[in-house]
Amino acid sequence: MRVVRFQEFGGPEVLAVTRAPAPRPGPGQVAIDVAYAGVNFADIKARSEGYRVPSLPFVPGLEVSGWIRAVGDGVTGLEAGQAVAALTPGGAYAEAVVVDAATVFALPDGLDLRTAATLPTVLPTAHALLHEAGRLRVGETVLVQGAAGGVGTVVGQLARAAGAGRVYGVVSREAKAEYALRHGYDEVFVGEFADGVRAATGGRGVDLALDPVGGETFRRSLEALAPFGRLVSYGNASAAEPWRLGQPELFPGAVSVAGFSILTLAATAPDALREIAARAFRAVAEGVVHLPVTAEFPLAEAAEAHRLVETRATTGKLLLRVAG
Ligand SMILES: NC(=O)c1ccc[n+]([C@@H]2O[C@H](COP(=O)([O-])OP(=O)(O)OC[C@H]3O[C@@H](n4cnc5c(N)ncnc54)[C@H](OP(=O)(O)O)[C@@H]3O)[C@@H](O)[C@H]2O)c1
Protein backbone atom coordinates (compact mmCIF):
# COMPACT_ATOMS: atom_id res chain seq x y z
CA MET A 1 0.00 0.00 0.00
CA ARG A 2 1.03 3.66 -0.38
CA VAL A 3 1.96 5.70 2.69
CA VAL A 4 3.26 9.23 3.15
CA ARG A 5 6.06 9.36 5.70
CA PHE A 6 9.13 11.32 6.79
CA GLN A 7 12.58 10.06 7.80
CA GLU A 8 13.85 13.37 9.21
CA PHE A 9 12.22 16.47 10.68
CA GLY A 10 11.94 19.52 8.45
CA GLY A 11 9.76 21.40 5.96
CA PRO A 12 6.91 19.92 3.91
CA GLU A 13 9.47 18.53 1.43
CA VAL A 14 10.48 15.78 3.91
CA LEU A 15 7.10 14.11 3.28
CA ALA A 16 7.57 11.31 0.74
CA VAL A 17 5.25 8.74 -0.82
CA THR A 18 6.56 5.20 -0.32
CA ARG A 19 5.18 1.66 -0.21
CA ALA A 20 4.71 -0.45 2.92
CA PRO A 21 3.03 -3.78 3.69
CA ALA A 22 -0.65 -3.40 4.62
CA PRO A 23 -0.85 -3.66 8.43
CA ARG A 24 -2.75 -6.51 10.14
CA PRO A 25 -4.80 -5.92 13.28
CA GLY A 26 -3.54 -7.42 16.55
CA PRO A 27 -5.81 -8.33 19.48
CA GLY A 28 -8.23 -5.49 20.23
CA GLN A 29 -7.38 -3.71 16.99
CA VAL A 30 -9.11 -2.95 13.70
CA ALA A 31 -7.59 -2.48 10.23
CA ILE A 32 -9.26 0.22 8.14
CA ASP A 33 -9.08 0.88 4.38
CA VAL A 34 -8.80 4.66 4.39
CA ALA A 35 -11.21 6.79 2.35
CA TYR A 36 -10.12 10.21 3.68
CA ALA A 37 -7.53 11.37 6.23
CA GLY A 38 -7.89 14.66 8.10
CA VAL A 39 -5.01 17.15 8.27
CA ASN A 40 -4.33 18.52 11.76
CA PHE A 41 -1.95 21.18 13.03
CA ALA A 42 -0.39 18.42 15.16
CA ASP A 43 0.73 16.69 11.91
CA ILE A 44 2.73 19.79 11.02
CA LYS A 45 4.24 19.85 14.54
CA ALA A 46 5.13 16.15 14.18
CA ARG A 47 6.87 16.71 10.85
CA SER A 48 8.68 19.92 11.79
CA GLU A 49 9.71 19.27 15.39
CA GLY A 50 8.88 15.65 16.28
CA TYR A 51 5.73 16.26 18.33
CA ARG A 52 4.58 12.78 19.52
CA VAL A 53 6.89 10.98 17.09
CA PRO A 54 8.22 7.88 18.89
CA SER A 55 10.69 6.88 16.15
CA LEU A 56 11.64 7.50 12.49
CA PRO A 57 10.52 6.90 9.80
CA PHE A 58 7.05 8.07 10.84
CA VAL A 59 3.71 8.14 9.02
CA PRO A 60 1.75 11.16 10.31
CA GLY A 61 -2.03 11.53 10.53
CA LEU A 62 -4.43 11.32 13.47
CA GLU A 63 -7.82 10.67 11.90
CA VAL A 64 -9.45 8.72 9.09
CA SER A 65 -12.75 7.65 7.66
CA GLY A 66 -13.06 4.44 5.69
CA TRP A 67 -14.21 0.83 5.73
CA ILE A 68 -13.17 -1.88 8.18
CA ARG A 69 -10.99 -4.39 6.37
CA ALA A 70 -10.38 -6.81 9.27
CA VAL A 71 -10.92 -7.01 13.02
CA GLY A 72 -8.48 -8.51 15.53
CA ASP A 73 -9.20 -11.02 18.28
CA GLY A 74 -11.51 -9.84 21.01
CA VAL A 75 -13.09 -7.01 19.04
CA THR A 76 -16.87 -6.89 19.35
CA GLY A 77 -19.49 -4.64 17.77
CA LEU A 78 -17.44 -3.89 14.65
CA GLU A 79 -17.31 -5.93 11.43
CA ALA A 80 -15.54 -6.06 8.08
CA GLY A 81 -17.03 -3.74 5.47
CA GLN A 82 -18.52 -1.34 8.03
CA ALA A 83 -18.04 2.40 7.39
CA VAL A 84 -16.30 4.08 10.34
CA ALA A 85 -14.28 7.07 11.50
CA ALA A 86 -11.27 6.63 13.77
CA LEU A 87 -8.75 8.52 15.86
CA THR A 88 -5.20 7.16 15.55
CA PRO A 89 -1.95 8.01 17.36
CA GLY A 90 -0.32 8.41 13.89
CA GLY A 91 -0.26 6.50 10.62
CA ALA A 92 -3.34 7.98 8.95
CA TYR A 93 -1.58 9.29 5.81
CA ALA A 94 -1.85 5.80 4.27
CA GLU A 95 -4.12 3.55 2.25
CA ALA A 96 -4.73 1.39 5.33
CA VAL A 97 -4.19 1.88 9.05
CA VAL A 98 -4.48 -0.21 12.22
CA VAL A 99 -6.29 1.39 15.13
CA ASP A 100 -7.30 0.35 18.67
CA ALA A 101 -10.98 -0.62 18.53
CA ALA A 102 -11.65 1.79 21.42
CA THR A 103 -11.11 4.77 19.10
CA VAL A 104 -13.09 3.47 16.12
CA PHE A 105 -16.54 5.07 15.80
CA ALA A 106 -19.50 3.78 13.79
CA LEU A 107 -20.91 6.58 11.66
CA PRO A 108 -24.16 8.15 12.85
CA ASP A 109 -27.00 7.76 10.30
CA GLY A 110 -26.75 10.13 7.37
CA LEU A 111 -23.08 11.01 7.85
CA ASP A 112 -20.94 10.58 4.69
CA LEU A 113 -17.30 9.46 4.75
CA ARG A 114 -15.95 12.84 3.65
CA THR A 115 -17.62 14.64 6.57
CA ALA A 116 -16.71 11.77 8.90
CA ALA A 117 -12.97 12.28 8.31
CA THR A 118 -13.21 15.82 9.69
CA LEU A 119 -14.63 14.69 13.04
CA PRO A 120 -12.41 12.37 15.15
CA THR A 121 -9.95 14.97 16.52
CA VAL A 122 -11.74 18.29 16.18
CA LEU A 123 -15.23 17.44 17.42
CA PRO A 124 -14.41 15.64 20.69
CA THR A 125 -11.66 18.21 21.35
CA ALA A 126 -14.00 21.17 20.91
CA HIS A 127 -16.67 19.49 23.04
CA ALA A 128 -14.23 18.60 25.83
CA LEU A 129 -12.67 22.08 25.85
CA LEU A 130 -16.04 23.74 26.39
CA HIS A 131 -17.84 21.26 28.59
CA GLU A 132 -15.51 18.82 30.35
CA ALA A 133 -12.34 20.90 30.87
CA GLY A 134 -13.96 24.35 30.54
CA ARG A 135 -17.22 23.62 32.44
CA LEU A 136 -19.13 26.21 30.40
CA ARG A 137 -22.42 27.40 31.93
CA VAL A 138 -25.33 29.09 30.19
CA GLY A 139 -24.80 32.82 29.73
CA GLU A 140 -21.02 32.75 30.19
CA THR A 141 -18.61 34.52 27.84
CA VAL A 142 -15.97 32.60 25.88
CA LEU A 143 -12.72 33.69 24.19
CA VAL A 144 -11.19 31.38 21.53
CA GLN A 145 -7.78 31.71 19.83
CA GLY A 146 -7.43 30.43 16.23
CA ALA A 147 -11.18 30.95 15.81
CA ALA A 148 -11.21 30.24 12.06
CA GLY A 149 -9.21 26.99 12.18
CA GLY A 150 -10.47 23.42 12.50
CA VAL A 151 -11.05 23.41 16.27
CA GLY A 152 -11.98 27.10 16.31
CA THR A 153 -14.74 26.69 13.70
CA VAL A 154 -16.45 24.02 15.79
CA VAL A 155 -15.92 25.64 19.20
CA GLY A 156 -17.74 28.82 18.14
CA GLN A 157 -20.81 26.91 16.99
CA LEU A 158 -20.86 24.50 19.96
CA ALA A 159 -20.50 27.36 22.46
CA ARG A 160 -23.41 29.20 20.92
CA ALA A 161 -25.53 26.03 20.82
CA ALA A 162 -24.76 25.45 24.52
CA GLY A 163 -26.17 28.88 25.41
CA ALA A 164 -22.95 30.81 25.94
CA GLY A 165 -23.39 34.55 26.42
CA ARG A 166 -21.08 36.22 23.93
CA VAL A 167 -18.46 34.21 22.02
CA TYR A 168 -15.26 36.12 21.12
CA GLY A 169 -12.68 34.87 18.64
CA VAL A 170 -9.08 35.83 17.83
CA VAL A 171 -7.55 35.37 14.36
CA SER A 172 -4.42 36.57 12.57
CA ARG A 173 -6.03 38.27 9.57
CA GLU A 174 -9.16 40.10 8.49
CA ALA A 175 -10.45 37.46 6.03
CA LYS A 176 -10.46 34.89 8.82
CA ALA A 177 -12.50 37.23 11.00
CA GLU A 178 -15.29 37.29 8.39
CA TYR A 179 -15.25 33.49 8.25
CA ALA A 180 -15.36 33.14 12.07
CA LEU A 181 -18.31 35.55 12.30
CA ARG A 182 -20.24 33.10 10.11
CA HIS A 183 -19.41 30.21 12.49
CA GLY A 184 -20.81 31.14 15.86
CA TYR A 185 -18.66 34.11 16.90
CA ASP A 186 -20.25 37.39 18.00
CA GLU A 187 -17.08 39.46 17.76
CA VAL A 188 -13.63 38.64 16.36
CA PHE A 189 -10.36 40.42 17.16
CA VAL A 190 -7.53 40.44 14.63
CA GLY A 191 -4.15 39.93 16.34
CA GLU A 192 -4.21 42.01 19.54
CA PHE A 193 -7.17 41.09 21.73
CA ALA A 194 -6.57 42.28 25.31
CA ASP A 195 -8.03 45.79 24.86
CA GLY A 196 -10.87 44.45 22.72
CA VAL A 197 -11.92 41.93 25.36
CA ARG A 198 -11.76 44.54 28.09
CA ALA A 199 -13.94 46.93 26.08
CA ALA A 200 -16.40 44.23 24.97
CA THR A 201 -16.92 42.94 28.53
CA GLY A 202 -17.08 46.32 30.27
CA GLY A 203 -13.72 45.60 31.94
CA ARG A 204 -14.92 42.35 33.54
CA GLY A 205 -13.11 39.83 31.30
CA VAL A 206 -14.33 36.45 30.02
CA ASP A 207 -15.52 33.43 31.96
CA LEU A 208 -13.74 30.89 29.75
CA ALA A 209 -10.65 31.29 27.52
CA LEU A 210 -9.30 28.54 25.23
CA ASP A 211 -5.65 28.72 24.22
CA PRO A 212 -3.82 26.52 21.66
CA VAL A 213 -1.00 29.06 21.10
CA GLY A 214 0.93 29.29 24.40
CA GLY A 215 3.62 31.83 25.36
CA GLU A 216 2.52 35.47 25.35
CA THR A 217 -0.97 34.54 24.11
CA PHE A 218 -1.41 32.18 27.07
CA ARG A 219 -0.35 34.92 29.50
CA ARG A 220 -2.67 37.51 27.98
CA SER A 221 -5.55 35.00 27.93
CA LEU A 222 -5.01 34.48 31.67
CA GLU A 223 -5.14 38.25 32.21
CA ALA A 224 -8.37 38.42 30.18
CA LEU A 225 -10.27 36.19 32.65
CA ALA A 226 -13.15 37.45 34.78
CA PRO A 227 -13.21 36.55 38.51
CA PHE A 228 -13.55 32.74 38.81
CA GLY A 229 -12.69 32.45 35.10
CA ARG A 230 -11.17 29.31 33.57
CA LEU A 231 -8.39 29.04 30.99
CA VAL A 232 -7.91 25.78 29.08
CA SER A 233 -4.50 25.26 27.46
CA TYR A 234 -4.53 22.73 24.62
CA GLY A 235 -1.61 23.48 22.35
CA ASN A 236 1.60 25.41 21.78
CA ALA A 237 1.40 26.69 18.19
CA SER A 238 3.84 29.48 19.08
CA ALA A 239 6.53 26.93 20.07
CA ALA A 240 7.15 29.03 23.22
CA GLU A 241 8.66 27.62 26.41
CA PRO A 242 6.02 25.59 28.30
CA TRP A 243 4.10 27.83 30.72
CA ARG A 244 4.52 27.59 34.48
CA LEU A 245 2.39 29.32 37.08
CA GLY A 246 1.22 29.13 40.66
CA GLN A 247 -0.49 31.00 43.45
CA PRO A 248 0.61 34.55 42.41
CA GLU A 249 -1.21 34.18 39.09
CA LEU A 250 -4.21 32.16 40.30
CA PHE A 251 -5.18 33.68 43.65
CA PRO A 252 -5.94 37.32 42.69
CA GLY A 253 -8.85 36.55 40.36
CA ALA A 254 -9.65 33.11 41.83
CA VAL A 255 -8.99 31.77 38.33
CA SER A 256 -8.29 28.17 37.23
CA VAL A 257 -6.11 26.74 34.49
CA ALA A 258 -6.82 23.34 32.94
CA GLY A 259 -5.15 21.35 30.17
CA PHE A 260 -6.50 19.02 27.54
CA SER A 261 -5.03 16.50 25.08
CA ILE A 262 -7.28 14.22 23.07
CA LEU A 263 -4.44 11.78 22.33
CA THR A 264 -3.64 11.45 26.01
CA LEU A 265 -7.33 11.01 26.81
CA ALA A 266 -7.56 8.30 24.11
CA ALA A 267 -4.65 6.44 25.73
CA THR A 268 -5.65 6.89 29.38
CA ALA A 269 -9.47 7.09 29.42
CA PRO A 270 -10.85 5.71 26.12
CA ASP A 271 -14.34 5.22 27.59
CA ALA A 272 -14.52 8.91 28.50
CA LEU A 273 -13.40 9.78 24.97
CA ARG A 274 -16.07 7.55 23.42
CA GLU A 275 -18.77 9.23 25.45
CA ILE A 276 -17.59 12.71 24.47
CA ALA A 277 -17.18 11.65 20.82
CA ALA A 278 -20.71 10.23 20.68
CA ARG A 279 -22.18 13.50 21.97
CA ALA A 280 -20.02 15.58 19.65
CA PHE A 281 -20.75 13.47 16.52
CA ARG A 282 -24.48 13.76 17.29
CA ALA A 283 -24.15 17.54 17.12
CA VAL A 284 -22.92 17.17 13.54
CA ALA A 285 -25.52 14.58 12.52
CA GLU A 286 -28.27 16.86 13.92
CA GLY A 287 -26.93 19.87 12.02
CA VAL A 288 -25.97 21.86 15.15
CA VAL A 289 -22.39 22.09 13.91
CA HIS A 290 -20.93 22.32 10.42
CA LEU A 291 -17.19 22.04 9.71
CA PRO A 292 -16.52 23.06 6.09
CA VAL A 293 -13.83 21.20 4.13
CA THR A 294 -12.00 24.15 2.58
CA ALA A 295 -9.32 22.20 0.69
CA GLU A 296 -8.88 18.58 -0.40
CA PHE A 297 -5.69 16.99 -1.78
CA PRO A 298 -4.81 13.52 -3.10
CA LEU A 299 -2.73 11.53 -0.56
CA ALA A 300 0.43 12.02 -2.63
CA GLU A 301 0.08 15.81 -2.28
CA ALA A 302 0.08 15.88 1.52
CA ALA A 303 3.06 18.26 1.43
CA GLU A 304 0.89 20.85 -0.37
CA ALA A 305 -1.68 20.63 2.42
CA HIS A 306 1.06 21.20 5.00
CA ARG A 307 2.40 24.21 3.06
CA LEU A 308 -1.06 25.74 3.02
CA VAL A 309 -1.56 25.33 6.79
CA GLU A 310 1.87 26.85 7.44
CA THR A 311 0.96 30.02 5.53
CA ARG A 312 -1.71 30.56 8.23
CA ALA A 313 -4.21 31.34 5.48
CA THR A 314 -6.48 28.31 5.91
CA THR A 315 -9.92 28.22 7.46
CA GLY A 316 -12.03 25.18 8.42
CA LYS A 317 -10.73 21.69 7.68
CA LEU A 318 -8.25 20.24 5.15
CA LEU A 319 -8.55 16.63 3.95
CA LEU A 320 -6.44 14.08 2.07
CA ARG A 321 -8.40 11.94 -0.39
CA VAL A 322 -6.98 8.42 -0.21
CA ALA A 323 -9.42 6.06 -1.98
CA GLY A 324 -10.68 7.01 -5.43
N1 LIG B 1 -4.90 19.29 22.83
C1 LIG B 1 -5.64 18.70 21.93
O1 LIG B 1 -6.25 17.66 22.18
C2 LIG B 1 -5.77 19.30 20.57
C3 LIG B 1 -6.57 18.67 19.60
C4 LIG B 1 -6.69 19.29 18.34
C5 LIG B 1 -6.02 20.49 18.10
N2 LIG B 1 -5.24 21.02 19.07
C6 LIG B 1 -4.54 22.30 18.84
O2 LIG B 1 -5.53 23.23 18.43
C7 LIG B 1 -4.99 24.12 17.46
C8 LIG B 1 -5.86 24.06 16.23
O3 LIG B 1 -5.69 22.79 15.62
P1 LIG B 1 -6.25 22.50 14.17
O4 LIG B 1 -5.70 21.17 13.78
O5 LIG B 1 -7.71 22.72 14.17
O6 LIG B 1 -5.50 23.57 13.27
P2 LIG B 1 -6.02 24.89 12.58
O7 LIG B 1 -6.69 25.74 13.60
O8 LIG B 1 -6.85 24.54 11.41
O9 LIG B 1 -4.68 25.56 12.08
C9 LIG B 1 -3.68 26.05 12.97
C10 LIG B 1 -4.12 27.34 13.69
O10 LIG B 1 -3.12 27.81 14.53
C11 LIG B 1 -3.17 29.24 14.55
N3 LIG B 1 -1.81 29.69 14.84
C12 LIG B 1 -1.45 30.43 15.89
N4 LIG B 1 -0.14 30.59 15.92
C13 LIG B 1 0.37 29.95 14.86
C14 LIG B 1 1.68 29.79 14.35
N5 LIG B 1 2.74 30.31 14.98
N6 LIG B 1 1.82 29.08 13.20
C15 LIG B 1 0.74 28.55 12.56
N7 LIG B 1 -0.51 28.67 13.04
C16 LIG B 1 -0.70 29.37 14.16
C17 LIG B 1 -3.74 29.65 13.21
O11 LIG B 1 -4.70 30.66 13.41
P3 LIG B 1 -4.36 32.21 13.22
O12 LIG B 1 -3.47 32.32 12.02
O13 LIG B 1 -5.68 32.86 13.02
O14 LIG B 1 -3.69 32.58 14.50
C18 LIG B 1 -4.54 28.41 12.76
O15 LIG B 1 -5.92 28.58 12.99
C19 LIG B 1 -3.54 23.68 17.23
O16 LIG B 1 -2.68 24.46 18.02
C20 LIG B 1 -3.53 22.23 17.70
O17 LIG B 1 -2.28 21.81 18.12
C21 LIG B 1 -5.10 20.47 20.29
Side-chain angles (χ1 to χ4, degrees), residues 22 33 36-37 61 67-68 109 122 146 200 202-203 213 226 264-265 280 297 313:
D33 283 325
Y36 293 93
W67 308 268
I68 293 183
D109 283 347
V122 167
V213 181
T264 305
L265 189 72
F297 298 84

Side-chain angles (χ1 to χ4, degrees), residues 118-133:
T118 67
L119 309 185
T121 57
V122 167
L123 260 292
T125 296
H127 194 285
L129 291 174
L130 288 172
H131 297 293
E132 281 77 19

Side-chain angles (χ1 to χ4, degrees), residues 39-45 51 62-63 121-122 125-126 129 145-153 170-173 176 211-213 217 233-239 259-264 309-318:
V39 176
N40 286 280
F41 192 65
D43 306 343
I44 280 94
K45 286 280 206 189
Y51 172 69
L62 301 176
E63 61 190 349
T121 57
V122 167
T125 296
L129 291 174
Q145 304 291 330
V151 175
T153 299
V170 183
V171 295
S172 60
R173 57 180 81 180
K176 289 186 175 186
D211 173 45
V213 181
T217 301
S233 167
Y234 64 106
N236 191 25
S238 64
F260 178 76
S261 159
I262 192 168
L263 294 178
T264 305
V309 174
E310 281 173 313
T311 63
R312 281 178 84 163
T314 61
T315 54
K317 188 76 189 175
L318 278 65

